[in-house]
Amino acid sequence: MKNTFIGTPMERREDLRFLRGRGEYVDDVAMPGLLYAVILRSSIAHGRLVSIDASAALKRPGVYAVITGRDMPPAPPIVPMRLQPLPEFKPFEQPVIAHDKVRYVGEPIAMVLAESVAIGEDALDAIDVTIDELPAVADWTVAAENKSVLFEKPGTNRSLVFESRKGDADAAFAKAPYVRRERLRTGRHYGLTMEPRGVLATWDDANGKLTVYGAAKVPFFNRRILAAQINLPVEQIEMIENDVGGGYGARGEFYPEDFLIPFAARHVKRPVKWIEDRRENLMAMNHAREEEAILEVACERDGTLIAIRGEVHTDMGAYMRTNGAVGARNVCQFLPGPYRIPHVKIDSCLWMTNKTPVGTYRGPGRFEANFFLERMIDMMAEELGIDRVEFRRKNLITAKEQPYPVATVQPTNAVDAYDSGDYPTTLERALKEANWSEISKLQGKLIDGKYHGLGVVCFVEGGAAGPKETARIEANDDDTFSVFLGTTSVGQGVETVFAQIAADALEVPIERIRHVYHGSTAYVSDGYGAYHSRSTVMGGSAVLDATNNFMAVLRQAAGKKLGCAESNVTFDVDKVVGGDGRSLPLKAFAGLTAEGEFKNHKHTYSYGAHIAHITVDARIGRIEIVDYVVVQDVGRAVNPLTLKGQVIGSLVQGLGGAVLEDLKYDENGQLLTGSLADYLLPTATDFPNLRCFVTDDHPSPINPLGAKGAGEGGIIAAGGCMANAVANALQSFGVQPRQLPLSPTYIWDLVQAGQRKAAE
């Protein structure tokens, strides 16, 4: 049979389990003799740790142990960088527990092991900690003064500068007929997961084996880190992924707790569980986004883009964590976006401050870059008297220009090119779906007390990070197959998508793919995980390779059993047929297995356009979305239904960052948004009118599926699109948003400033 499950919209297999309450999260795992870990975190942003006295806490009933940095001689281990592990970052990496200084509010100082969480939390108050407070560095501009440095040895708060270069930007600017200079910034966000992080570890003293539950995203990499830190062979550690309430880039990286809990389990020889509460989640999980750009864009008088140059400054927080450099690196590469800009010169500066460290959050660096450039394009088009849609049409990269080389980023020497696509087509489709010719008549109009505004932006999304991914196919004893993945699930629907790929490759009904196992280190020899929109591209291609290898070993085994040459063996749904017509059921080969892999050092680039139709009440700064359209070309949509869910979900997150979310600190480094009453998130009723159209007109040439990473396209362009829509709505006030989020207060201030200027 010839299947067409790839390309068919199919409902998610895993949803029945979740909707019936049968998911198993790490907090659902129980063990005899379990101890609960609670963590004492610094309440001071910057200071020298003088002493820790836990004697009173240890006397409390139900308290089993208190662990500090002194229990880890000669010093607590350091969490290494996973991505961009440059030597310049080493002096700024994080110890798993503070032992000489504290550098942010929320940094672990001590860990209590108790018979219950409540007993442990009460014991935290009995631990006496003395810290000599130092001046806090709570902003990148303060960090740049280097008056108070977080790390004495390097003697500077700047950990690195990424440089993005293409052509000769300075020469292009010297003769450019038109230049616009702007200063723009994005707020500090984080990938708030429905279920906070958690770790449960058990130690088998007899066999010297450590088992860790709650692994997500990159379990094989985290196993290597933990093995080195805890001095065990990697084979003696098993990482087990449970169901997770979302990942969004933040969850599953190696955090201090990923060492502390396994260490504690081995230290006390009892199972230990830690589940963070929401306040810990807000102050301890990676933050993201907070970037400020000072940019210049040059173009001809007709709007033809010539060059972009400038600086981007990223507030990195207190330490360089595993993937913390990605946002700062990406922003300088992706600033030209989907446009033909021949000359690029961007310096991206990474500043250490006394805030929670940053990591990746869906669309890292691309969300910021898109807001910076798309905002400037609208301002340039207005000043030059060019229609902003025509401005974009003129500069979008066409199919004939693909593969299109992008700027090279140093010091990683990252040379890359957009792989395929016709970028203007998605803009035209979005204009059609949004009925632009009609709604454009409403731009800036006041109707029923609200100003109507339109935003239009284009974007490009990178995906499919290498170097490889693995998968394994196994025949079961009931004529079905099991698929084992090196990649993981963080909620993106891999059990459904990979069943579609395997069923097509094996040419069997999808029901014959009985299980898709993912995320545990025992399933395959190696794995690289779920990040950078890579799972379908890399893992799906590995499944294809595993399938080919499985069919080869099946033919070999069948040839021996049927007494014929391998080349004469065929597979027909549930039986294996020899050259003379004799056959054996598939279950006769139960246990037969084969692993496959896909290696790739190139990236995929999906692309598209957003159009927003909003209203703004200028009296109170309130925004309402009338209609929002996203069109994204994904190369090849394996499951258009789950893909649309990904795009809409990420769009809602992007709208949250555009109008609501902002982690705020005071000048002493204290987190002011320490609860969900302060850190505002979109809810189900906030943005009801969202539409998504997925196309697959230009498959990627770099993988056998033709697929492109596409889980982040909804979020990338939301900030720029909403800011442009607000400017369009409030054009009569001369409003030009230059920062996110577009809070009611910020919009009201812009309106008031515009009215004052008009009255002068």
Side-chain angles (χ1 to χ4, degrees):
M1 64 184 293
K2 188 69 175 176
N3 287 336
T4 55
F5 293 114
I6 293 178
T8 300
M10 303 186 73
E11 293 186 350
R12 290 168 27 126
R13 288 178 157 201
E14 47 269 73
D15 282 350
L16 279 180
R17 188 171 81 248
F18 295 129
L19 291 171
R20 292 169 176 168
R22 294 176 180 170
E24 185 182 68
Y25 300 84
V26 63
D27 201 21
D28 295 324
V29 180
M31 297 274 177
L34 187 65
L35 290 173
Y36 296 85
V38 294
I39 296 172
L40 178 66
R41 300 180 182 276
S42 177
S43 60
I44 291 173
H46 194 195
R48 297 195 183 283
L49 189 54
V50 178
S51 64
I52 305 172
D53 183 356
S55 55
L58 283 166
K59 294 176 183 175
R60 289 185 171 235
V63 173
Y64 192 84
V66 177
I67 293 174
T68 70
R70 296 173 191 163
D71 297 302
M72 305 166 197
I78 301 296
V79 179
M81 298 291 288
R82 180 173 68 86
L83 301 176
Q84 277 103 39
L86 300 167
E88 292 88 341
F89 292 141
K90 283 201 168 296
F92 304 95
E93 291 172 343
Q94 181 169 9
V96 295
I97 195 166
H99 65 106
D100 58 353
K101 285 186 77 175
V102 293
R103 295 184 175 88
Y104 67 95
V105 172
E107 182 166 5
I109 294 176
M111 175 170 54
V112 174
L113 305 182
E115 299 294 339
S116 74
V117 173
I119 292 172
E121 289 181 341
D122 287 345
L124 294 183
D125 294 334
I127 300 175
D128 186 17
V129 179
T130 302
I131 298 174
D132 279 350
E133 195 164 353
L134 296 167
V137 179
D139 182 80
W140 81 261
T141 58
V142 178
E145 295 173 353
N146 282 324
K147 291 179 179 176
S148 177
V149 294
L150 276 68
F151 300 86
E152 285 74 12
K153 192 172 180 179
T156 174
N157 289 321
R158 193 176 71 179
S159 61
L160 188 73
V161 178
F162 283 113
E163 297 179 347
S164 175
R165 298 289 186 268
K166 183 178 180 181
D168 188 343
D170 290 338
F173 271 94
K175 55 185 179 183
Y178 173 85
V179 173
R180 178 101 185 191
R181 178 184 172 88
E182 291 291 341
R183 188 171 190 135
L184 307 115
R185 71 182 304 276
T186 52
R188 193 174 187 86
H189 305 163
Y190 90 126
L192 188 147
T193 55
M194 295 285 285
E195 169 223 16
R197 293 178 300 136
V199 181
L200 189 157
T202 66
W203 171 249
D204 179 348
D205 202 39
N207 296 303
K209 183 180 178 184
L210 189 63
T211 304
V212 182
Y213 297 82
K217 187 177 179 180
V218 286
F220 284 90
F221 188 86
N222 287 356
R223 182 172 71 159
R224 288 194 288 273
I225 294 179
L226 180 61
Q229 291 177 334
I230 213 162
N231 196 26
L232 276 176
V234 290
E235 297 78 14
Q236 293 300 102
I237 301 176
E238 183 178 1
M239 294 280 192
I240 297 176
E241 173 194 303
N242 301 90
D243 289 322
V244 295
Y248 314 126
R251 187 192 196 89
E253 288 295 327
F254 197 98
Y255 288 89
E257 297 85 1
D258 292 280
F259 169 84
L260 293 175
I261 307 307
F263 173 84
R266 190 185 190 192
H267 189 66
V268 301
K269 296 181 173 52
R270 285 180 61 175
V272 176
K273 180 195 283 187
W274 166 78
I275 304 293
E276 69 178 355
D277 62 26
R278 187 57 74 187
R279 179 168 170 75
E280 281 185 298
N281 181 252
L282 278 153
M283 69 167 58
M285 195 167 75
N286 289 341
H287 291 178
R289 296 276 195 261
E290 188 177 4
E291 296 187 339
E292 185 163 355
I294 304 156
L295 296 176
E296 292 179 294
V297 179
C299 71
E300 304 286 354
R301 287 281 170 188
D302 67 358
T304 302
L305 289 167
I306 299 172
I308 183 169
R309 69 180 177 187
E311 302 171 353
V312 182
H313 301 274
T314 302
D315 187 323
M316 301 301 299
Y319 295 102
M320 292 301 305
R321 278 186 176 168
T322 52
N323 61 357
V326 173
R329 178 238 174 259
N330 283 355
V331 73
C332 65
Q333 183 186 28
F334 282 87
L335 261 169
Y339 302 107
R340 186 187 313 103
I341 304 181
H343 304 284
V344 179
K345 181 184 180 185
I346 305 294
D347 288 346
S348 178
C349 305
L350 287 67
W351 297 102
M352 312 308 295
T353 67
N354 293 119
K355 296 178 183 173
T356 298
V358 305
T360 59
Y361 169 39
R362 214 167 187 174
R366 305 181 189 101
F367 174 91
E368 301 92 307
N370 188 272
F371 167 69
F372 297 149
L373 181 64
E374 293 289 345
R375 198 70 277 278
M376 292 192 72
I377 285 178
D378 262 28
M379 288 190 276
M380 294 166 69
E382 180 181 336
E383 192 170 39
L384 290 168
I386 302 171
D387 180 85
R388 53 190 171 143
V389 172
E390 291 302 322
F391 196 111
R392 289 175 170 83
R393 282 185 176 129
K394 181 183 289 291
N395 291 289
L396 282 168
I397 297 163
T398 64
K400 291 181 180 178
E401 297 170 278
Q402 302 284 6
Y404 183 86
V406 299
T408 300
V409 179
Q410 298 289 5
T412 55
N413 194 31
V415 180
D416 206 347
Y418 297 156
D419 53 345
S420 66
D422 187 1
Y423 295 178
T425 58
T426 50
L427 174 60
E428 299 306 323
R429 175 74 184 274
L431 293 168
K432 179 184 176 184
E433 298 294 345
N435 198 15
W436 183 266
S437 60
E438 287 299 316
I439 63 175
S440 60
K441 299 170 185 173
L442 298 173
Q443 298 182 81
K445 282 197 173 181
L446 179 64
I447 302 173
D448 295 334
K450 298 174 182 176
Y451 291 89
H452 285 247
L454 306 181
V456 53
V457 304
C458 302
F459 71 95
V460 63
E461 173 189 352
K468 72 173 185 179
E469 195 51 87
T470 61
R472 183 163 64 86
I473 304 289
E474 183 173 311
N476 302 317
D477 59 5
D478 58 356
D479 290 336
T480 66
F481 297 89
S482 292
V483 180
F484 299 83
L485 305 175
T487 188
T488 58
S489 171
V490 285
Q492 69 273 54
V494 300
E495 293 173 33
T496 307
V497 170
F498 284 84
Q500 292 177 257
I501 295 171
D504 269 10
L506 292 165
E507 297 185 8
V508 299
I510 196 166
E511 294 78 17
R512 300 280 299 283
I513 309 301
R514 191 174 69 181
H515 292 297
V516 176
Y517 296 97
H518 48 81
S520 289
T521 52
Y523 291 155
V524 292
S525 58
D526 200 0
Y528 290 80
Y531 63 97
H532 195 238
S533 293
R534 69 185 300 282
S535 287
T536 299
V537 175
M538 299 296 295
S541 299
V543 167
L544 296 180
D545 188 54
T547 303
N548 290 334
N549 293 338
F550 177 83
M551 295 308 294
V553 296
L554 179 65
R555 289 191 188 95
Q556 187 178 45
K560 289 180 180 176
K561 288 190 176 186
L562 294 169
C564 65
E566 300 172 23
S567 57
N568 291 330
V569 174
T570 58
F571 175 59
D572 184 13
V573 183
D574 59 357
K575 62 184 178 183
V576 184
V577 183
D580 59 359
R582 290 186 300 148
S583 66
L584 289 168
L586 176 63
K587 58 188 176 185
F589 300 90
L592 198 66
T593 186
E595 194 164 322
E597 66 179 26
F598 178 64
K599 294 182 178 179
N600 173 44
H601 290 282
K602 294 183 178 179
H603 296 145
T604 63
Y605 291 93
S606 59
Y607 57 93
H610 287 212
I611 292 179
H613 176 192
I614 68 166
T615 62
V616 185
D617 188 335
R619 297 167 301 177
I620 56 174
R622 178 179 170 78
I623 300 171
E624 291 184 1
I625 293 178
V626 179
D627 188 24
Y628 200 114
V629 171
V630 177
V631 175
Q632 183 169 3
D633 192 309
V634 301
R636 192 181 190 193
V638 175
N639 187 331
L641 186 62
T642 57
L643 186 52
K644 283 187 177 181
Q646 287 281 310
V647 175
I648 293 293
S650 65
L651 172 58
V652 172
Q653 286 186 307
L655 294 172
V659 304
L660 295 171
E661 298 180 48
D662 199 7
L663 289 157
K664 303 293 287 187
Y665 283 81
D666 69 10
E667 66 276 13
N668 296 314
Q670 293 292 331
L671 179 64
L672 302 177
T673 47
S675 77
L676 295 188
D678 309 302
Y679 185 74
L680 302 181
L681 287 167
T683 58
T685 57
D686 284 328
F687 307 121
N689 302 315
L690 311 178
R691 296 188 287 148
C692 166
F693 301 89
V694 172
T695 64
D696 50 6
D697 297 331
H698 295 273
S700 175
I702 70 164
N703 67 86
L705 284 168
K708 299 182 178 185
E712 303 169 86
I715 199 170
I716 288 171
C721 192
M722 290 298 287
N724 284 350
V726 168
N728 184 247
L730 302 177
Q731 56 188 273
S732 58
F733 298 95
V735 164
Q736 294 288 4
R738 290 178 171 82
Q739 68 180 54
L740 298 176
L742 302 161
S743 67
T745 304
Y746 178 55
I747 293 175
W748 188 85
D749 285 343
L750 291 176
V751 170
Q752 299 304 306
Q755 290 177 327
R756 286 195 298 272
K757 187 174 181 180
E760 291 174 357

